[in-house]
Amino acid sequence: MPVITRQIKRKESRVSKTGKPVVIKWQDAEMIRSQSINACVNEIHESSKSMGFLKINLIGASSSGKSTLAGVLAHQLHTLDPTFEVHFFEDKDLIDFTATIQKLSKSNQILVFDDLSGLVSKFGKTALDRLKAEITTVRHIGKTNEDRKIIMILNFHAQKVLDKFIRISNFTFYTDCQKEEIRYLEELLGKNQQQKINQFARLRAQSRMYHKFSFPLGNRGDYFTYKDGEPFRVLLYNNGITTRFVVSPQVSWILKDKLCQVCNPAEKTEETKMNLEHFVYDFSKRFGKGICKRAIELKLLRQGINTQPKRVQQAERYIEQYFDAKHINLEELAEKYGLKEQRTILLPCKQPNFNEGISN
């Protein structure tokens, strides 16, 4: 039997040969590579592959950027894995959790719940106890959702006043740290994180007073300075193993002020109906109705919505049984049916004319 040798490329070091952190660019903004929010997103995504339910807590004072961070995490996660849908809720939706979940599709879900600090004072301890029971069975609500993955993002003003069940999470981000909270954070993250917690409190104070914050680069007195909110803000992140500083921008900056249809779908209005009619006409004219339908089916499938005919889905399950038994290989099967990977670009003559749609 021939021996197959594979070369595994090592990831580029986050520290340069001089011992300094590596500075990179995200779009047109410089940042320290090891502090990228995308590294956190990758860790969360990898965990979601082996865990059906994940909980992420965002802790910080009012106006410290929790909602902004929730939007960034949700967007970057569904961009990394298009099988996830994104939904934003309020605390009242969390109280009737079963009804909230049952309204959703069977796709993988990212559920963002905003400002749960006053949960018990608003709805009482009985509602909290019911919520605990429902969260533990969240993937099984609706009977046929056992394979669905759920990522919950919850944000609070203060972690200490919360019920223990709610404040326990797989990943935690701190958007702020006041002096009176330092000792409590030490209890949560460990005494060995004391220096880092104190540094985070100083960085947040710098951000508020001077609208900038700095990190040392090596041992020669050099510093890398961020302008607060232009586009990055500093956060303290814990993944259950380590605690480190990360920086995150706003979703609007990532999208360059465009809208994401997964995070923020356009509401159905008379204007969107007119746009839809123009789109269908123009789309079909450029590509043909059959191609258009296949393209939309692919977009839905990548979001976990299977619109294929029943016979096609049955055929797929037939193939999967052969794969599970390791009798055939997907690459060989594709070759047998003459299927090859195709790459293309959208030609200038196929580009949409938005002005024409608006004027009509």
Side-chain angles (χ1 to χ4, degrees), residues 8-265:
I8 301 174
K9 293 182 179 180
R10 295 179 64 186
K11 291 184 179 179
E12 184 183 341
S13 174
R14 293 183 179 183
V15 179
S16 68
K17 292 179 181 179
T18 61
K20 290 183 179 180
V22 175
V23 175
I24 62 170
K25 274 194 173 184
W26 183 357
Q27 295 182 170
D28 58 348
E30 287 190 333
M31 65 184 301
I32 296 174
R33 182 182 177 184
S34 61
Q35 296 176 349
S36 172
I37 190 69
N38 289 328
C40 308
V41 170
N42 287 333
E43 291 177 1
I44 294 166
H45 179 244
E46 285 300 317
S47 296
S48 74
K49 291 179 182 179
S50 57
M51 298 177 67
F53 175 71
L54 286 178
K55 192 148 74 72
I56 305 168
N57 284 353
L58 315 182
I59 315 296
S62 181
S63 301
S64 63
K66 298 186 298 299
S67 298
T68 299
L69 175 59
V72 170
L73 292 173
H75 176 75
Q76 295 299 82
L77 280 165
H78 86 72
T79 301
L80 192 61
D81 187 344
T83 66
F84 279 94
E85 293 180 2
V86 176
H87 297 278
F88 293 85
F89 297 107
E90 299 176 10
D91 51 8
K92 62 182 181 182
D93 301 303
L94 193 57
I95 292 305
D96 199 356
F97 194 51
T98 297
T100 298
I101 294 298
Q102 287 176 333
K103 291 176 184 175
L104 306 178
S105 77
K106 297 174 185 177
S107 302
N108 295 333
Q109 299 290 339
I110 298 170
L111 312 178
V112 182
F113 289 90
D114 192 40
D115 193 5
L116 304 180
S117 303
L119 196 66
V120 175
S121 60
K122 270 189 185 180
F123 302 101
K125 191 175 182 303
T126 303
L128 178 64
D129 291 338
R130 187 177 66 184
L131 172 62
K132 291 180 190 179
E134 291 177 339
I135 283 183
T136 57
T137 59
V138 59
R139 291 178 68 225
H140 305 287
I141 294 173
K143 297 181 181 179
T144 58
N145 298 323
E146 288 84 356
D147 295 328
R148 178 169 63 177
K149 296 183 182 299
I150 305 279
I151 297 176
M152 287 184 67
I153 302 176
L154 314 178
N155 85 47
F156 317 95
H157 287 169
Q159 195 171 15
K160 190 172 183 178
V161 298
L162 296 173
D163 183 271
K164 184 178 180 181
F165 179 85
I166 299 295
R167 69 173 181 252
I168 290 175
S169 64
N170 305 98
F171 301 92
T172 306
F173 292 85
Y174 297 92
T175 59
D176 201 9
C177 179
Q178 304 293 333
K179 276 190 175 182
E180 58 270 21
E181 296 175 305
I182 290 176
R183 184 172 295 180
Y184 180 63
L185 280 186
E186 289 174 8
E187 293 175 12
L188 290 172
L189 302 176
K191 291 287 185 182
N192 59 326
Q193 301 298 333
Q194 184 179 36
Q195 184 177 352
K196 198 168 289 184
I197 293 166
N198 278 287
Q199 185 182 357
F200 180 56
R202 289 196 299 273
L203 289 169
R204 288 298 298 140
Q206 284 179 18
S207 300
R208 287 190 295 271
M209 289 187 288
Y210 308 118
H211 311 295
K212 61 183 181 180
F213 54 95
S214 303
F215 290 94
L217 290 176
N219 300 317
R220 297 184 178 180
D222 296 330
Y223 282 84
F224 182 87
T225 299
Y226 295 93
K227 289 184 178 180
D228 184 50
E230 297 182 19
F232 301 113
R233 278 194 166 178
V234 64
L235 310 164
L236 191 63
Y237 165 68
N238 179 269
N239 59 11
I241 302 172
T242 61
T243 300
R244 66 178 190 265
F245 297 114
V246 296
V247 296
S248 178
Q250 295 187 3
V251 175
S252 59
W253 180 83
I254 297 173
L255 293 171
K256 298 181 179 179
D257 291 323
K258 295 178 181 178
L259 288 178
C260 171
Q261 284 298 316
V262 178
C263 300
N264 188 19

